[in-house]
């Protein structure tokens, strides 16, 4: 017995270069393909897989055990944690536990329904070594391919600058969590994930904290992950209103202090909702709404009916050509057949400096 214990103890002592962090909850349909993709990595360094089984009631546990043997045989150390209480504790908790029980210098996050390309760990590790305080993402292929076309295009095509300027949009983190790769030291500096469980956007909150601490965001421009879409995914349990509140707060904390005055681009529902969500001090900075809709512009102003101020504030509504930057843009990209994008480009503004996307 001692010899066996000694062997695994020795292996434990050899710290892995990369720990793959895999939270699992009822992942039976996808787990084989996911774990096979771990075994097919072409990374030359040492890898370990840290799985946390969050109260799965299906055959996930058996599938993990089966792969543990195969992976250990190929030199990938496997650590399995978990619990089988009646109910799961959520993905934030599971990821924290998987990180805590692992030992690698770098963390590679993976979702149990996704599949890594063989070069994922190698290419992201290379990038992370050069950028110790960055979250490294990658491009993805969506499965099924037509499930979220606009979102997938956004993930894959943001420029290096936009990875930092488009962090306020409703799309969430500019590199998506199942593609995250970062150093353990940096993760410990920023984290852990929020453990509130169902309904908490734990990856968005972590991403915001990462940016507050001056972290970078980079993307390896190769498709290194098959990113599955299915209605059961935990993402769908987060309320839009919860995310809206976090986003407005982050916008007010990170972007609005730089601006003494700004214009909200969209005099419709979204623009007015943003205006009403701001603190009184930030509402005072709104000099105008702008739009292309003649009806709204003819009306001439927006009156904030719920305002406690007397007289109630009346905010001018201008044609976008008559409005002054900086702009907070509350128009969804890709939805106007390119007309909005053309209008924006015609103004020759600089993203991040003259405008920010909020929608």
């Amino acid at each position: 017995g001692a010899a066996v214990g000694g062997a695994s103890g020795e292996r434990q002592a050899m710290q892995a270069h990369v720990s793959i962090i895999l939270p699992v909850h009822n992942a039976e349909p996808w787990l084989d393909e996911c774990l096979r993709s771990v075994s097919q990595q072409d990374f030359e360094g040492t890898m370990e897989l840290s799985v946390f089984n969050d109260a799965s009631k299906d055959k996930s546990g058996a599938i993990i055990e089966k792969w543990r043997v195969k992976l250990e045989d190929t030199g990938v150390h496997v650590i399995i944690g978990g619990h089988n209480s009646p109910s799961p504790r959520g993905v934030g908790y599971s990821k924290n536990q998987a990180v805590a029980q692992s030992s690698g210098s770098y963390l590679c996050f993976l979702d149990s329904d996704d599949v890594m390309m063989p070069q994922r760990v190698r290419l992201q590790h290379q990038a992370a070594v050069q950028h110790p305080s960055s979250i490294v993402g990658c491009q993805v292929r969506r499965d099924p391919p037509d499930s979220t076309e606009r979102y997938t295009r956004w993930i894959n095509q943001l420029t290096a600058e936009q990875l930092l300027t488009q962090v306020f949009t409703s799309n969430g983190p500019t590199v998506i969590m199942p593609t995250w790769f970062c150093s353990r030291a940096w993760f410990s500096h920023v984290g852990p994930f929020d453990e509130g469980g169902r309904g908490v956007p734990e990856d968005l909150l972590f991403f915001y904290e990462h940016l507050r601490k001056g972290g970078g965001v980079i993307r390896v421009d190769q498709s290194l992950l098959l990113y599955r879409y299915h209605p059961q995914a935990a993402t769908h349990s987060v309320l839009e209103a919860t995310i809206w509140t976090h986003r407005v707060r982050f916008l007010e904390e990170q972007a609005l202090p730089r601006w003494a005055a700004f214009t909200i681009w969209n005099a419709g529902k979204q623009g007015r909702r943003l205006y009403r969500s701001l603190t009184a001090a930030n509402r005072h900075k709104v000099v105008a709404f702008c739009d292309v809709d003649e009806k709204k512009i003819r009306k001439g102003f927006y009156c904030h009916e719920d305002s406690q101020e007397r007289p109630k504030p009346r905010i001018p509504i201008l044609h976008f050509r008559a409005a002054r930057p900086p702009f907070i843009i509350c128009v969804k990209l890709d939805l106007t057949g390119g007309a909005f994008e053309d209008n924006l480009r015609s103004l020759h503004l600089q993203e991040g400096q003259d405008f920010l996307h909020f929608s």
Side-chain angles (χ1 to χ4, degrees), residues 104-146:
S105 315
Y106 291 87
L107 306 175
C108 173
F109 290 89
L110 179 61
D111 275 355
S112 55
D113 51 354
D114 296 333
V115 181
M116 300 194 281
M117 302 305 120
Q119 65 277 35
R120 178 185 174 190
V121 170
R122 173 170 55 85
L123 293 178
Q124 287 193 301
H125 175 263
Q126 256 169 26
V129 168
Q130 293 171 327
H131 302 273
S133 60
S134 287
I135 291 178
V136 179
C138 64
Q139 292 175 324
V140 301
R141 275 193 306 136
R142 196 58 149 148
D143 178 59
D146 53 359

Side-chain angles (χ1 to χ4, degrees), residues 229-243:
Y229 176 84
H230 55 94
Q232 294 84 45
T235 329
H236 305 300
S237 74
V238 181
L239 292 172
E240 188 274 342
T242 304
I243 291 184

Side-chain angles (χ1 to χ4, degrees), residues 93-104:
Y93 175 82
S94 303
K95 283 187 284 212
N96 289 339
Q97 292 295 125
V99 170
Q101 70 190 15
S102 73
S103 69

Side-chain angles (χ1 to χ4, degrees), residues 6-80:
S8 68
E10 249 161 67
R11 193 174 317 165
Q12 204 70 72
M14 289 213 11
Q15 193 191 23
H17 291 123
V18 176
S19 300
I20 295 169
I21 303 301
L22 182 64
V24 172
H25 174 67
N26 292 347
E28 184 183 338
W30 309 284
L31 207 43
D32 266 313
E33 219 184 326
C34 174
L35 292 169
R36 182 174 299 111
S37 78
V38 172
S39 74
Q40 292 171 340
Q41 291 302 300
D42 64 16
F43 179 58
E44 300 277 304
T46 51
M47 273 192 321
E48 65 177 17
L49 172 68
S50 177
V51 186
F52 189 83
N53 187 351
D54 187 20
S56 294
K57 302 285 178 268
D58 62 1
K59 298 200 181 72
S60 292
I63 298 171
I64 294 163
E65 279 302 334
K66 176 187 77 181
W67 275 99
R68 182 172 69 98
V69 180
K70 296 186 188 183
L71 287 164
E72 295 269 5
D73 283 348
T74 62
V76 178
H77 181 47
V78 180
I79 306 125
I80 303 169

Side-chain angles (χ1 to χ4, degrees), residues 59 75 111 125 132 143 163 185 190 202 228 235 286 324 328 338:
K59 298 200 181 72
D111 275 355
H125 175 263
D143 178 59
L163 293 173
V190 175
E202 81 293 326
R228 281 193 222 270
T235 329
V286 178
R324 302 289 312 259
I328 300 283

